Amino acid sequence: DAVRRVFSREACPGEDDATLEDRRLKWAALLRRFQKYGNFSFGNRVTAYEGGDICYTAMLAAIRSARVRVWCESYIFDHSAIGEIFYRALLDATRR
């Protein structure tokens, strides 16, 4: 149900039905694979982003506002400018 809401006509107005269904199936399969790592908890928010640059601002804001822990699921950041920004944000988070 959550995947259907994220990949809906309202949330993705430019997508056709077949593309939306493909995206739903992809993300539902991914979420099922995560189940082996533990139980679900309540009160969390999840936003699915596809693509790198589009999500960096949101990811950095989430890291900066984290109070207890940071779970970051992403590709490896290499020795790049954006990698350094994430490194510094995560390092700052460990000091709070």
Side-chain angles (χ1 to χ4, degrees):
D1 188 48
V3 173
R4 187 161 296 283
R5 284 193 312 259
V6 170
F7 296 108
S8 66
R9 282 225 164 268
E10 293 78 28
C12 307
E15 303 287 343
D16 60 53
D17 289 337
T19 301
L20 283 173
E21 189 59 23
D22 286 344
R23 292 174 77 188
R24 288 179 193 126
L25 292 172
K26 172 187 155 187
W27 282 99
L30 178 68
L31 292 172
R32 277 192 298 278
R33 287 196 309 268
F34 285 157
Q35 288 177 333
K36 69 181 175 184
Y37 298 111
N39 296 322
F40 293 100
S41 61
F42 296 95
N44 298 308
R45 276 182 309 138
V46 175
T47 304
Y49 294 103
E50 292 186 77
D53 294 344
I54 197 165
C55 69
Y56 289 157
T57 301
M59 290 171 68
L60 289 166
I63 291 168
R64 289 186 186 110
S65 67
R67 292 180 289 183
V68 177
R69 71 175 56 96
V70 173
W71 288 16
C72 182
E73 184 74 26
S74 186
Y75 291 100
I76 297 170
F77 293 104
D78 57 9
H79 297 286
S80 64
I82 194 66
E84 181 68 20
I85 291 168
F86 271 87
Y87 169 77
R88 294 285 173 205
L90 290 166
L91 186 62
D92 289 346
T94 66
R95 296 178 177 148
R96 288 195 289 270

